[in-house]
Amino acid sequence: MESIEIDVVADPDLDDPVFVEGLPGVGHVGKLAAEYLLEEFDSELVRRVYTDEFPPQVNIDDEGVASLTCAEFHAVDVGEEDLLVLTGDHQAQSNDGHYHLTDAFLDIAEEFGATRAYALGGVPTGELIEEYTVLGAVTDSALVDDLEEAGVEFREDEPAGGVVGVSGLVLGLGARRGFDATCLMGETSGYLVDPKSARAVLEILEEVVGFELNYESLEERAEEMEEVVGKIQEMQQQQEAVPTGDDLRYIG
Amino acid sequence: MESIEIDVVADPDLDDPVFVEGLPGVGHVGKLAAEYLLEEFDSELVRRVYTDEFPPQVNIDDEGVASLTCAEFHAVDVGEEDLLVLTGDHQAQSNDGHYHLTDAFLDIAEEFGATRAYALGGVPTGELIEEYTVLGAVTDSALVDDLEEAGVEFREDEPAGGVVGVSGLVLGLGARRGFDATCLMGETSGYLVDPKSARAVLEILEEVVGFELNYESLEERAEEMEEVVGKIQEMQQQQEAVPTGDDLRYIG
Amino acid sequence: MESIEIDVVADPDLDDPVFVEGLPGVGHVGKLAAEYLLEEFDSELVRRVYTDEFPPQVNIDDEGVASLTCAEFHAVDVGEEDLLVLTGDHQAQSNDGHYHLTDAFLDIAEEFGATRAYALGGVPTGELIEEYTVLGAVTDSALVDDLEEAGVEFREDEPAGGVVGVSGLVLGLGARRGFDATCLMGETSGYLVDPKSARAVLEILEEVVGFELNYESLEERAEEMEEVVGKIQEMQQQQEAVPTGDDLRYIG
Amino acid sequence: MESIEIDVVADPDLDDPVFVEGLPGVGHVGKLAAEYLLEEFDSELVRRVYTDEFPPQVNIDDEGVASLTCAEFHAVDVGEEDLLVLTGDHQAQSNDGHYHLTDAFLDIAEEFGATRAYALGGVPTGELIEEYTVLGAVTDSALVDDLEEAGVEFREDEPAGGVVGVSGLVLGLGARRGFDATCLMGETSGYLVDPKSARAVLEILEEVVGFELNYESLEERAEEMEEVVGKIQEMQQQQEAVPTGDDLRYIG
């Protein structure tokens, strides 16, 4: 396998599509938001990206069938606009891998004619959130006014450490290629998967790109997630009760 | 040395051999199972694989002779079928190394004409096992029925994190090359080397490939292993009694 | 993106400029010193260096505009002499990256005709400093006398572990290219950002290169820094009061 | 800089020299032994090996002059035989680096016509040593008899984990090139630099290669080392008394 391998699954003609990145990160906000777009709208898988930068891992589906971990691009028809949505289960596992992989993602976005990009993510506050604010960062100050009108906040010196990972590089490397790129970061505690923060981010995207979403099933998901979290916590507490002392030491 | 170097030790003609991978992993289940095949049947070493992805290490045999750590392919005559069995002491030491090395292993399997692959391993349960179940994952749902008939269980959402390491990639990269690949994962506590779990995996392999094994010496090994484990634990407890405080601090 | 990408921003003619390196390190002494030169004198940005050796990160300015993290060379007019000053927010993230990146920095310095180099940094003492001594290391013993006259101390066996990172390699790789290179290391506690140690280093540089600096605003900065440190410590103490127990465990 | 750069310092004609490796490791046994050979016999520096696999570091000599960290080969005249002795302050910093660097070392040894190699090192026992035994490992069982006659012990299953690092690879990669290579491992506690273990290893080397050493100054060194260790421990105890709490937290 090459370091990065791209499977061409379909090659539809898209009209100046909006590139939307939603890989895993803080609170899985970007991933939840991007996956919700695929669920709610008609979408077509167009590219699979395999790379030795992802963990050496296969996912197993409900029938027991394994598939090599990858990132996927879907073309999503939201009405007036086409979206080109990037989702997946992993970010790169090395420092330079983040750069190479983001470059490959931007190559694909360019190939479909995209010139605008939205990197979706979360920003950790360390506290439980009551009002879900979305912070912004852009590649060009001309983008700020429209975003502020849509409700995005721009705060001096926030996020404190800049933006890291693929979302940061969609802006950093995107700017060097001429993309108008925006990072939308939903505030989230940082302790839990956060569908409510994902909704806050999607509401901004609706407004600035121009489409309409029904949040019913995301609300259900938020409720389900809260149940799942409760169950996992229960299981963890039970597991912690298993003896792991000298009697069971691993002899490799 | 090249990054991966393959020594051709022998080049027998094999007839559609079954590729069996048994490198170290959870409970050393796959490694024990694969090595038992080499012990019980006539086998011929056909390839040695050296790589800078393995630790920089030599093994020392009983006569004091060192040999560079490597993975080995043996041709194993189990009756109707030929097996091509991969064993070794290590997996790759880096993320991308897992991909490159599995690719090299699949190249060798293809070279011998293999189209079917079994990746043997363990899946940790965190508890001592009473009944040794074997879980399965496949590259093609058409493989499931025969495996279930042989006693393999397919459970929704298990193993939870997918399959990682070389076993995962034998499926993930194997599927991309057209292999019919199956992962057989024996349940094991995860705390101990587990010859009983290895036996459970081998019993499935007997059934689905079609050969017969005598488990007497594996049973002996299980008993020996339990004694060895006992001795090692004793030694560790003694070592922990050695003073390691300020008086003996290492000055490098 | 290539592994190292250099943007040519300007190409002024410099006359045997003095290459000054001030990347982050112990007490941020070198970084503070180098940045102070840019503030106090007329300076022109001449090169930006991007690399996949830096963290995958963008910085966000006060208007919300993101820029890919990079290192920068400025031409600085300090009077008789031209300085070529290297600043940035990061060192390389890998062992070999330090070598490759320092090589690229020295290429740029050579391109501008530099033959002398000063690597600025701090050396940790583990104690609060009362008198700010500057230790030296050089590529050629002929450089020692002038430095001692300017107040630099050369002590046997110090710094104990040699000099590491880009400062060390500016000497080590610089010597192999024929640079006359000096490392100026201000003593600092190692626990705090230390503008006073940066001043001690700059006072030596003034003397040996031949220019004059006004330290008023560095003094202000030292005072501001002390206030900031106080506030951050207060915030940290408050954050530590937030519950982070089982109720808020991250479910990824 | 290339990944590995070799400076040719001198090119004497050597007659089937014996390659002796003594890089740092357990108890610094190999390093002490190899450096003692350079001190006691006439020796000539013939090669310097620089690599981005070593830490990014310069050493500072007594005059304050920095030199890039490297490994060195000396030609050593011990009488009947020529030795080609490899010393240095570091091993490679990465897994594959160990392979690449040992290959480069063996290239140099071959270039000088060496066909025999001795890798010197220590093997940790976890206890203070009363009688200094030397364990052996070889590339060819034909080498064992002479070594046993000289006092080397060959024990089944020891050292337990094989031999790692450059010493292991001098055997592992050396064997693949046709070297007759031996690893001599002095037992040592593993907690302290151990000149006595180095002496035990050198006494074997004397016997099997055929030369005579005076150990007076190594004995002195053993005594000095014990004093140094005492002083360092005293200093460490004082440093630990320095407050490192919240008042002095590092703000980077």
Side-chain angles (χ1 to χ4, degrees), chain A residues 90-150:
Chain A
H90 300 285
Q91 294 216 8
Q93 303 290 298
S94 73
N95 192 82
D96 56 354
H98 282 287
Y99 283 86
H100 305 164
L101 205 45
T102 306
D103 257 338
F105 293 152
L106 291 170
D107 284 346
I108 293 172
E110 278 186 350
E111 200 187 321
F112 279 103
T115 58
R116 291 168 294 164
Y118 291 89
L120 311 185
V123 60
T125 62
E127 299 172 14
L128 294 178
I129 307 291
E130 309 225 331
E131 206 169 323
Y132 283 85
T133 305
V134 175
L135 302 185
V138 291
T139 52
D140 185 340
S141 58
L143 299 165
V144 170
D145 281 355
D146 285 354
L147 290 161
E148 285 191 331
E149 247 168 66

Side-chain angles (χ1 to χ4, degrees), chain C:
Chain C
M1 194 173 104
E2 295 300 302
S3 178
I4 296 177
E5 264 187 21
I6 296 165
D7 280 9
V8 175
V9 183
D11 242 338
D13 268 342
L14 303 180
D15 178 23
D16 183 22
V18 177
F19 171 39
V20 175
E21 174 268 323
L23 291 179
V26 181
H28 280 207
V29 173
K31 179 173 158 70
L32 286 173
E35 287 176 350
Y36 195 67
L37 291 169
L38 303 189
E39 279 172 34
E40 291 296 305
F41 293 107
D42 283 340
S43 73
E44 180 183 17
L45 177 64
V46 295
R47 293 286 184 282
R48 282 199 193 93
V49 180
Y50 298 93
T51 174
D52 59 13
E53 282 295 334
F54 286 146
Q57 185 173 336
V58 289
N59 302 318
I60 313 294
D61 71 11
D62 290 353
E63 290 188 303
V65 178
S67 56
L68 187 56
T69 202
C70 66
E72 296 182 338
F73 282 82
H74 285 78
V76 181
D77 177 4
V78 298
E80 298 278 300
E81 301 275 358
D82 286 322
L83 305 185
L84 184 68
V85 177
L86 167 62
T87 57
D89 288 333
H90 300 284
Q91 293 215 9
Q93 302 290 298
S94 74
N95 192 81
D96 56 354
H98 283 286
Y99 282 86
H100 305 164
L101 205 46
T102 307
D103 257 338
F105 293 152
L106 291 169
D107 285 346
I108 292 171
E110 277 186 349
E111 199 186 322
F112 279 103
T115 58
R116 291 168 293 163
Y118 290 89
L120 311 185
V123 59
T125 63
E127 300 172 13
L128 293 179
I129 306 292
E130 309 226 330
E131 206 169 322
Y132 282 86
T133 304
V134 175
L135 301 185
V138 291
T139 53
D140 185 340
S141 59
L143 299 166
V144 170
D145 280 356
D146 285 355
L147 290 161
E148 286 191 332
E149 245 168 68
V152 177
E153 286 196 16
F154 288 82
R155 295 189 196 144
E156 252 184 63
D157 299 326
E158 280 201 50
V163 182
V164 297
V166 67
S167 288
L169 293 184
V170 164
L171 270 67
L173 295 173
R176 287 173 64 76
R177 296 168 175 239
F179 273 84
D180 279 338
T182 299
C183 187
L184 297 175
M185 295 162 278
E187 287 196 330
T188 179
S189 69
Y191 303 119
L192 295 165
V193 170
D194 195 341
K196 285 184 183 164
S197 181
R199 176 174 179 164
V201 166
L202 284 170
E203 286 174 344
I204 300 290
L205 197 68
E206 260 187 294
E207 180 90 12
V208 292
V209 173
F211 60 87
E212 277 186 36
L213 259 175
N214 176 336
Y215 290 102
E216 209 168 299
S217 91
L218 189 62
E219 282 307 303
E220 280 169 32
R221 197 154 164 182
E223 283 161 31
E224 276 169 39
M225 193 73 67
E226 278 164 26
E227 278 178 48
V228 169
V229 167
K231 279 184 197 153
I232 291 172
Q233 288 176 326
E234 222 170 277
M235 281 165 57
Q236 285 182 329
Q237 284 161 9
Q238 284 167 5
Q239 274 192 5
E240 279 158 19
V242 169
T244 58
D246 284 357
D247 301 354
L248 286 174
R249 191 144 347 152
Y250 186 89
I251 309 298

Side-chain angles (χ1 to χ4, degrees), chain A residues 17-52:
Chain A
V18 177
F19 172 38
V20 175
E21 174 267 324
L23 292 179
V26 181
H28 280 206
V29 173
K31 179 174 158 69
L32 287 172
E35 287 176 351
Y36 196 66
L37 291 169
L38 302 189
E39 280 172 33
E40 291 297 304
F41 292 107
D42 283 340
S43 72
E44 179 183 18
L45 177 65
V46 295
R47 295 283 185 281
R48 283 199 193 92
V49 180
Y50 298 93
T51 174
D52 59 12

